[in-house]
Amino acid sequence: MFGETGTGGQGVWALAQTDNVWLHRLASAGCRVTRFTDASALRRAMARPDVREPAALVLLDDVASNCRAAQAARLTWPGLSLVAWHGQPVGPEQAALLSCGVDYVLRPDDPPPLLASVLAALACRRDRFGAAGLPRHFPAPGQEDADLRIGPWRLADLAWVLKHEDASLRLTVSERAILLCLFDAPGHVASHADLVAAVLHVWRPQQVRIRDPRCRSTISRLRRRAGAVGMPAPPIESLRDFGYAWAL
């Protein structure tokens, strides 16, 4: 059982806007849970000079917030156990979370008691294998070269050109803003609000009114233009009621 013995007395941190059944089951398993209602409060806690590393961090917010929190936690505590939840049984959210260093992704149909079992298994792995058992997350875009890159895709020429192998496509102002937002976002996941803000930011000096506030037409046009130059359709997938992800 994953109680205080399994956590080394440090307890578990959780990012969750509201109390929920996952956290109730952890508490009933004997775990001391510290809940943060937003990512900024979590980051402030991680930055305190006297803070002790928790035994684990459980991420129960939206996928973009979970990705950002996972990335920050990995930089602060490379060996921390990270578990995240997302609301769809399949999709690019899983790849996004795993690429940010999450150890295990909870699915909507997973029973709440599973969380304590997962945390216990991760604690056992770290006790047994030490550094050899730590997760290895992928480098962020731009860490290896001057271009922003996701697999075979990259943004070149100050992000005005999208490249895939030998094919190239010159981007429009709105397309560039959307792709920069997706390439820069942790896990390459961006909410509708993030994408709209990115597009509005680049057009604001010209006082252009955006007709498509959720960027659907721009993304559809980008896919068509990519096909016209012999390029595969950019793997931008819609996340229901949230935003878009660049599918890894």
Side-chain angles (χ1 to χ4, degrees), residues 64-209:
S65 298
N66 288 344
C67 284
R68 295 189 187 101
Q71 193 172 71
R74 274 282 168 256
L75 292 173
T76 305
W77 298 307
L80 183 66
S81 292
L82 282 176
V83 176
W85 175 90
H86 79 89
Q88 300 296 325
V90 295
E93 297 98 322
Q94 291 189 32
L97 290 164
L98 293 171
S99 73
C100 289
V102 169
D103 295 290
Y104 189 91
V105 180
L106 296 166
R107 298 179 299 178
D109 56 351
D110 284 337
L114 179 65
L115 178 54
S117 299
V118 168
L119 294 180
L122 292 173
C124 180
R125 185 181 74 178
R126 279 158 175 74
D127 289 343
R128 183 175 181 183
F129 298 107
L134 298 181
R136 299 178 181 178
H137 60 282
F138 295 105
Q143 286 183 350
E144 297 180 347
D145 53 44
D147 294 340
L148 291 171
R149 183 185 298 271
I150 309 175
W153 298 89
R154 62 190 178 98
L155 294 176
D157 191 15
L158 300 179
W160 282 107
V161 174
L162 176 65
K163 290 181 173 288
H164 182 278
E165 297 179 349
D166 296 331
S168 299
L169 177 66
R170 191 79 180 177
L171 299 173
T172 67
V173 172
S174 294
E175 290 169 350
R176 178 178 182 268
I178 289 170
L179 292 190
L180 275 173
C181 186
L182 285 170
F183 271 59
D184 280 337
H188 310 303
V189 174
S191 66
H192 290 302
D194 290 336
L195 294 169
V196 170
V199 173
L200 289 176
H201 176 74
V202 296
W203 282 112
R204 188 169 289 116
Q206 287 78 26
Q207 297 183 339
V208 174
R209 184 174 181 180

Side-chain angles (χ1 to χ4, degrees), residues 23 42 50 52 66 70 82 96 122-123 160 165 168 181 210 215 227 236 239 242:
L23 302 183
L42 175 62
D50 60 339
R52 291 182 63 197
N66 288 344
L82 282 176
L122 292 173
W160 282 107
E165 297 179 349
S168 299
C181 186
I210 304 300
C215 307
I236 303 173
L239 306 181
F242 183 79

Side-chain angles (χ1 to χ4, degrees), residues 222-246:
L222 173 62
R223 293 191 181 105
R224 292 195 299 271
R225 295 201 319 116
V229 299
M231 182 182 291
I236 303 173
E237 293 196 18
S238 176
L239 306 181
R240 183 177 179 181
D241 298 325
F242 183 79
Y244 288 91
W246 188 282

